[in-house]
Amino acid sequence: MKNYFRLLFTITLCLAVTSCGGGDDEASNNEDTASSALDALQALLLPKAPEGPLTITEARKKPTPGTKIIVSGKVMGNKNPIIQSRALLTLGDPDRLDSCDLIPGDDCPTPWDVCCSDPDVVRASIATIQVIDENGKPVKSGLRGLGGLQELSNLIVVGEVAKESNAENFLVNATGIHVVASKAAGSNTKKP
């Protein structure tokens, strides 16, 4: 009888260990997915600035879906311009919008929110940039840190005007991103 209980205990223990292993496989799969998403995003980085970018304001004049496009701008336009868990960001036209760090005497903790700009001008001067996967959905990994990308970074984006894009919502599917080298730390020059 003791051997029967030992055998039963051993089988139960083996089943418990085996069933716990499934969680490790799932965690490993999640890490692999995150790693492959990050690799895919890293592959988008362009070491050299593409030539002939349009400002967002110029590009918005004809938001024809499917059109190949190169746009330049600054990561700004709302309080959270970089989505943490998806490859989405808001790019603003620095020719039309001033981030608060460029306004003398403005010590705004979120200068990329362009809170001092007219909301109608903001809406007409921003684009949503996204990196999509093979299913046409935004990649499940944020863009923050990619090539040094952060709020207030200047970017040049190569891509295609998304099919969902229209005059009210300018959406670009990025196929390449160039992060413009920033000036030396601490040299944010405020406009006079």
Side-chain angles (χ1 to χ4, degrees):
M1 193 68 156
K2 279 185 177 178
N3 288 339
Y4 173 74
F5 286 116
R6 269 192 205 143
L7 180 61
L8 186 59
F9 176 75
T10 304
I11 290 171
T12 304
L13 183 60
C14 287
L15 288 174
V17 169
T18 304
S19 67
C20 289
D24 292 339
D25 289 344
E26 187 175 318
S28 177
N29 286 342
N30 288 341
E31 288 175 13
D32 290 345
T33 300
S35 178
S36 66
L38 185 57
D39 290 344
L41 293 177
Q42 288 285 344
L44 293 177
L45 284 174
L46 303 172
K48 185 177 176 190
E51 292 184 21
L54 298 173
T55 66
I56 292 167
T57 304
E58 292 170 324
R60 286 184 67 113
K61 290 178 183 175
K62 294 184 181 179
T64 308
T67 304
K68 302 288 185 201
I69 194 163
I70 302 173
V71 294
S72 64
K74 188 174 181 179
V75 179
M76 64 178 173
N78 56 52
K79 192 169 185 171
N80 297 305
I82 304 172
I83 304 301
Q84 182 175 341
S85 61
R86 295 288 185 271
L88 287 159
L89 62 82
T90 303
L91 199 62
D93 186 338
D95 290 344
R96 305 256 339 244
L97 303 173
D98 287 332
S99 53
C100 299
D101 62 315
L102 300 177
I103 300 171
D106 191 323
D107 293 324
C108 178
T110 56
W112 47 85
D113 66 9
V114 297
C115 60
C116 297
S117 297
D118 180 298
D120 291 332
V121 174
V122 173
R123 279 190 292 281
S125 306
I126 60 172
T128 300
I129 307 299
Q130 66 179 359
V131 179
I132 58 173
D133 62 18
E134 63 278 354
N135 298 316
K137 304 289 183 198
V139 171
K140 293 182 179 180
S141 182
L143 293 167
R144 181 179 278 106
L146 183 72
L149 190 153
Q150 61 185 358
E151 290 83 354
L152 303 178
S153 290
N154 289 298
L155 307 180
I156 300 175
V157 177
V158 177
E160 183 176 297
V161 178
K163 66 180 178 181
E164 301 87 4
S165 193
N166 56 52
E168 299 300 315
N169 182 30
F170 187 57
L171 184 61
V172 176
N173 294 332
T175 57
I177 298 173
H178 176 73
V179 181
V180 178
S182 63
K183 296 175 186 170
S187 69
N188 272 348
T189 307
K190 300 203 181 248
K191 289 185 178 179

